[in-house]
Amino acid sequence: SVWVYSSVLKTWAKSGRRDAPEKAQSVLDRMNDLYISGRNPSVRPNNISYNIVIDSFAKAGKPKEAEALLRELSESYEARLVEKGPNLISYTSVITAYGRIKNKYWIQANKAEAVLREMQKLGDPSLRPEIIAWTALIDVYAKACIFGGEKSHVPPMECLERCMDLLDEMIKENVEPNIVTYNTVIKAMAFSKHEFDREKYRDRVVALMKGRGVEPQKYTISVLSKIMTSEQQRK
């Protein structure tokens, strides 16, 4: 049955092997083949089956493959080969996958944002980006701030401004940032290798946190102190 095959998918996905995503996809392909050919209608894949494999590729840092499966799931749903199409987990896994690529950070961030914008354009209330998706996207841009370096060919402030813009946008979309979201932005400004007025951005984030009643964690205070020390030394 589909549940037996799903158990096999989970086993491969959690195996820790380097080829785990590919092995899981081969099982998914087998399920599709058996169902479409009519040899075993009981193994019809569902979006849970797809999400297991999408997540496996995402954790392996293979966003291209993860997004390809997202498209396949969407097409299968339109063709009525699966009962339900992609859900929040499907899209958020792909966004997260782009944050695991350790090169061309700005390009990865743009691709991750395209996935979130697609969620918005679909107009499906069940696919409305929630806090995990927004925070995952901000994290990809934060990594561009921290690791992008001069070879990224991106203006030094653009990555951080993008993080701030997304923070403001999610609030306008009635998605309340949590301490993880704020810490992600603070981390970006603290550990970026670029020179800029960190105090200005720190003050903006701190004011936003206070205004929305978000209490800082020890980590938050520690990183904010690092920013203050860094700015004092710079001056």
Side-chain angles (χ1 to χ4, degrees), residues 37-54:
S37 67
R39 284 177 288 166
N40 192 344
S42 69
V43 300
R44 182 186 189 185
N46 53 36
N47 59 0
I48 297 174
S49 312
Y50 273 90
N51 283 346
I52 293 169
V53 188
I54 290 171

Side-chain angles (χ1 to χ4, degrees), residues 33-97:
D33 179 57
L34 288 171
Y35 174 70
I36 294 171
S37 67
R39 284 177 288 166
N40 192 344
S42 69
V43 300
R44 182 186 189 185
N46 53 36
N47 59 0
I48 297 174
S49 312
Y50 273 90
N51 283 346
I52 293 169
V53 188
I54 290 171
D55 183 63
S56 184
F57 275 116
K59 288 178 177 176
K62 297 180 177 181
K64 182 178 178 180
E65 291 83 352
E67 187 164 354
L69 273 176
L70 175 69
R71 305 299 168 211
E72 182 180 315
L73 173 56
S74 181
E75 290 170 3
S76 294
Y77 176 62
E78 291 177 3
R80 298 185 179 182
L81 295 175
V82 294
E83 291 183 5
K84 296 180 180 180
N87 56 19
L88 281 173
I89 295 173
S90 317
Y91 282 97
T92 302
S93 292
V94 175
I95 292 171
T96 302

Side-chain angles (χ1 to χ4, degrees), residues 32-215:
N32 275 313
D33 179 57
L34 288 171
Y35 174 70
I36 294 171
S37 67
R39 284 177 288 166
N40 192 344
S42 69
V43 300
R44 182 186 189 185
N46 53 36
N47 59 0
I48 297 174
S49 312
Y50 273 90
N51 283 346
I52 293 169
V53 188
I54 290 171
D55 183 63
S56 184
F57 275 116
K59 288 178 177 176
K62 297 180 177 181
K64 182 178 178 180
E65 291 83 352
E67 187 164 354
L69 273 176
L70 175 69
R71 305 299 168 211
E72 182 180 315
L73 173 56
S74 181
E75 290 170 3
S76 294
Y77 176 62
E78 291 177 3
R80 298 185 179 182
L81 295 175
V82 294
E83 291 183 5
K84 296 180 180 180
N87 56 19
L88 281 173
I89 295 173
S90 317
Y91 282 97
T92 302
S93 292
V94 175
I95 292 171
T96 302
Y98 281 109
R100 289 193 165 96
I101 298 294
K102 297 181 179 180
N103 57 61
K104 299 180 180 178
Y105 293 94
W106 181 254
I107 293 174
Q108 310 309 332
N110 288 173
K111 289 180 178 179
E113 182 168 354
V115 175
L116 185 136
R117 298 306 174 194
E118 179 181 328
M119 295 170 72
Q120 293 176 317
K121 289 179 181 178
L122 287 171
D124 184 340
S126 70
L127 294 177
R128 179 174 175 268
E130 295 182 347
I131 188 168
I132 297 176
W134 283 103
T135 302
L137 176 57
I138 290 173
D139 183 62
V140 187
Y141 276 107
K143 287 174 180 173
C145 293
I146 298 169
F147 303 112
E150 297 301 327
K151 293 182 180 180
S152 65
H153 304 297
V154 177
M157 297 313 305
E158 195 164 338
C159 295
L160 188 52
E161 283 290 349
R162 198 74 203 97
C163 290
M164 297 299 298
D165 288 345
L166 289 168
L167 190 61
D168 290 337
E169 184 181 350
M170 66 186 290
I171 292 172
K172 291 178 182 177
E173 292 290 324
N174 296 315
V175 180
E176 197 65 36
N178 60 18
I179 190 59
V180 176
T181 316
Y182 287 110
N183 281 347
T184 301
V185 179
I186 291 169
K187 177 179 66 177
M189 67 178 77
F191 298 105
S192 173
K193 298 173 184 177
H194 299 298
E195 292 295 328
F196 57 91
D197 187 355
R198 285 174 167 79
E199 285 188 8
K200 180 182 74 173
Y201 288 95
R202 179 202 65 193
D203 292 346
R204 280 176 63 185
V205 174
V206 169
L208 199 55
M209 289 176 65
K210 286 182 177 179
R212 308 196 76 80
V214 179
E215 292 293 327

